[in-house]
Amino acid sequence: MMDALPLFFDFTEEQKNCFSKELYDIMITLTVPDENDEVYICGNQPELAQWDPAAIRMDKVSANQRQVKMKIHSPAQIKFTRGDWDTQGAIAGNDGYENLIIYPDKDNDIHLEILEWLDQED
């Protein structure tokens, strides 16, 4: 275990160098299957809560739309959950429950849709 720690910290430092120095304003609007869905966003950088699935709650802007405005580095890997990893969402146009990678390079409005939640798969 102790041998793995230096490798982890080297990887973490290397990952930081892969991000743009700039922060980009983005607005993400997410369509969800159920009007009662409480949705969170997380991802691979401090601005995205370093993969904490319940840290950044999206605002409910209509019955089936959630929204968040934030500043992030490019590229960003993101996921949506309903508060924990057992409830992550499958994003339309993405491969199942894989991380979605976005490449903001200016102010961006991003529109996405959750097809289903992991705990509610057909």
Side-chain angles (χ1 to χ4, degrees), residues 28-91:
I28 297 177
T29 303
L30 183 69
T31 301
V32 296
D34 186 291
E35 67 182 52
N36 296 312
D37 287 338
E38 187 173 288
V39 181
Y40 299 83
I41 184 173
C42 63
N44 67 330
Q45 48 191 267
E47 295 77 12
L48 291 163
Q50 293 289 52
W51 296 114
D52 182 339
I56 303 171
R57 184 175 171 191
M58 297 183 75
D59 297 324
K60 184 175 184 175
V61 294
S62 70
N64 290 84
Q65 289 202 318
R66 307 297 179 266
Q67 199 169 67
V68 65
K69 184 173 184 174
M70 57 186 8
K71 291 181 179 285
I72 62 172
H73 298 278
S74 184
Q77 295 184 44
I78 60 174
K79 281 193 180 277
F80 300 97
T81 73
R82 291 192 339 270
D84 62 60
W85 290 117
D86 293 331
T87 63
Q88 62 185 294
I91 303 165

Side-chain angles (χ1 to χ4, degrees), residues 98-111:
E98 294 294 318
N99 300 344
L100 178 67
I101 301 173
I102 59 175
Y103 297 90
D105 59 0
K106 56 182 177 173
D107 294 346
N108 291 261
D109 287 333
I110 300 169
H111 298 268

